[in-house]
Amino acid sequence: MALGSVRPKTGSDDRPAAAAPRAGRGPWRAARRRRRLPFVVLGSLLVIVCVLAYAWGTVRLGDRIQVLAVARPVAAGQSITAADLTQVSAAEDPEVLLIPVVQADEVIGRTAVVPLVAGTLLTPSLIGDAAFPPAGKVTASLALKPGQYPQGLTRGAKVAVFVSAAGTGADGRAASAAKATAAPTRLRAVVLGVDLSGDGQGSTVVTLLLDASDGPRLAAAPEGAVVLMQTAPGGN
């Protein structure tokens, strides 16, 4: 039997097969680029924010000045010496009148108007002339029994001084009922000292700094007619 001749393949079957698309090219690569773009933008914005924050912090830290502070306790009326002063760094604030270090010579030799504790930032209102008490102020010492002043009262505390028209006389009897019902007068003062040893009769001697206009009213107060109440540091 004769074998038929093999006919060669013609037409489309003779063309080589098309190569498969390589991974990472074409539309898939473009899609990945689009997905990465928001992260690139976000990262750039984050870098900008960090740079701005650093610059702002540097400027804020640069707005600090060297000012005078109290290095050790200074009693009211005591002359301020160089050993009483130290310098600290503080933020510059136009609403707070701190005393720059360069003005130390103007502070030395002046007097503390009120008792100063270590660490207090000095302001012009805390120091006065060498004379004490300062102009418009007087000092007064009171012999007070327990109950007329708060326990734990210390130098530098601000107090309200209540002066009533009624008191106890030398015989221990109370004044008239009319005086007893009258509203007490309220004065403001700063404690200059507390002497627990007192006057030898069971009283504690408290020394106050108060307005000169209030001095006569306090001096005229009957015995037992004065009561002290401590107020907040910034209170009235």
Side-chain angles (χ1 to χ4, degrees), residues 142 144 147-151 153-154 157-163 184-191 206 208 226-233 235-236:
L142 307 173
L144 304 176
Q148 290 184 268
Y149 64 95
Q151 294 297 316
L153 190 65
T154 58
K158 292 186 177 182
V159 294
V161 184
F162 293 94
V163 181
T185 302
R186 186 175 188 265
L187 312 176
R188 292 182 296 176
V190 176
V191 177
V206 179
L208 302 176
V226 177
V227 176
L228 304 184
M229 293 187 65
Q230 188 166 350
T231 61
N236 295 323

Side-chain angles (χ1 to χ4, degrees), residues 90-115:
E92 188 174 11
D93 188 346
E95 297 182 1
V96 180
L97 299 178
L98 300 177
I99 301 178
V101 172
V102 294
Q103 297 180 11
D105 291 341
E106 301 176 18
V107 174
I108 295 174
R110 300 184 67 182
T111 302
V113 175
V114 297

Side-chain angles (χ1 to χ4, degrees), residues 184-221:
T185 302
R186 186 175 188 265
L187 312 176
R188 292 182 296 176
V190 176
V191 177
L192 298 181
V194 179
D195 185 1
L196 297 177
S197 61
D199 58 357
Q201 299 180 1
S203 298
T204 297
V205 177
V206 179
T207 304
L208 302 176
L209 176 70
L210 66 161
D211 292 338
S213 58
D214 294 334
R217 284 183 283 183
L218 186 60

Side-chain angles (χ1 to χ4, degrees), residues 23 44 46 73-74 132 134 138 151 154 174 181 185 188 204:
S44 301
L46 183 60
V74 179
F132 190 85
V138 295
Q151 294 297 316
T154 58
T181 57
T185 302
R188 292 182 296 176
T204 297

Side-chain angles (χ1 to χ4, degrees), residues 11-91:
S12 59
D13 293 340
D14 293 337
R15 292 178 297 179
R22 296 178 62 182
R25 295 185 178 180
W28 294 102
R29 188 172 185 180
R32 279 200 298 270
R33 288 179 178 174
R34 287 195 296 269
R35 286 197 298 267
R36 291 175 181 172
L37 183 59
F39 294 101
V40 173
V41 174
L42 182 60
S44 301
L45 290 177
L46 183 60
V47 171
I48 294 174
V49 170
C50 292
V51 171
L52 293 177
Y54 175 79
W56 179 84
T58 303
V59 171
R60 291 297 299 172
L61 290 176
D63 290 341
R64 302 183 71 85
I65 57 175
Q66 296 297 313
V67 298
L68 293 175
V70 181
R72 59 186 182 181
V74 179
Q78 178 179 328
S79 179
I80 298 175
T81 66
D84 298 324
L85 302 177
T86 186
Q87 67 178 33
V88 297
S89 177

